[in-house]
Amino acid sequence: MILVTGVYVLNGPNLNLLGTRRPEVYGTMTLPDVEELCREEATRLGLDLVFHQSNHEGRLIDWIHEAGARVKAGEVIGAVFNPGAYTHTSIALHDAIEGTELPVVEVHISNVHRRESFRHHSYISPVARGTIVGLGTDGYRLAIDALHRMSLT
Ligand code: DQA
């Protein structure tokens, strides 16, 4: 029997700048800090963490395809995904999630609904299992926990 043991956390453009980019909006945690908190949560739940960030849409699509195939192989439970600004522009990321049937929890550190109107629409939300918005970097922890709960039902 193969045990399902993995969870992906994918981060889109500019999230490598966390900690220095608009700390009044995104806080002072760096991306390595976020990886560490995700690893703690995954370990607590008995999951291996695969953590990536890219500024390139195609790279994110490749990781979605990889994660989707690994879900189908029973190796991974799904992906936490903060698509950054691609949230508001990318039909290609929408199609990748839809096409692979990857269970995704969409995360935004900031409350995009309290910000500029161009951040109010998400191409990802219609193909996500759920969204966590505006709870800071703690949203990543909550999203891993949510994917884990979903995988048990
Ligand atoms: C973000 C919100 C997006 O609108 C923005 O482009 C980001 C970060 C967030 O985590 O709050 O890069 O996804």
Side-chain angles (χ1 to χ4, degrees):
M1 188 176 88
I2 301 173
L3 292 176
V4 173
T5 57
V7 63
Y8 277 57
V9 176
L10 301 177
N11 295 278
N14 299 308
L15 289 162
N16 54 312
L17 300 178
L18 275 183
T20 55
R21 171 195 181 200
R22 303 206 58 197
E24 74 284 6
V25 174
Y26 297 115
T28 53
M29 279 184 95
T30 64
L31 194 63
D33 293 335
V34 173
E35 180 170 0
E36 184 55 32
L37 86 78
C38 289
R39 199 167 299 285
E40 277 170 19
E41 187 64 6
T43 302
R44 187 180 76 76
L45 297 169
L47 297 166
D48 286 335
L49 179 73
V50 180
F51 190 95
H52 293 304
Q53 185 274 333
S54 180
N55 296 321
H56 303 276
E57 193 174 22
R59 193 73 188 97
L60 294 163
I61 291 169
D62 289 343
W63 284 324
I64 288 167
H65 291 181
E66 178 185 287
R70 294 192 65 192
V71 168
K72 292 208 162 120
E75 299 169 1
V76 159
I77 61 170
V80 173
F81 189 23
N82 184 346
Y86 287 144
T87 307
H88 319 298
T89 63
S90 182
I91 298 169
L93 286 169
H94 168 112
D95 285 353
I97 295 165
E98 186 179 56
T100 56
E101 298 174 311
L102 175 68
V104 163
V105 175
E106 177 185 353
V107 168
H108 298 287
I109 296 166
S110 65
N111 184 349
V112 285
H113 301 293
R114 293 183 67 173
R115 301 180 64 195
E116 303 97 322
S117 59
F118 61 80
R119 296 185 202 276
H120 296 178
H121 177 261
S122 168
Y123 281 101
I124 307 306
S125 297
V127 288
R129 298 292 171 95
T131 63
I132 297 175
V133 169
L135 300 183
T137 50
D138 208 36
Y140 286 83
R141 191 197 308 274
L142 296 167
I144 292 172
D145 194 46
L147 276 175
H148 181 251
R149 284 164 186 264
M150 285 174 210
S151 76
L152 302 176
T153 58

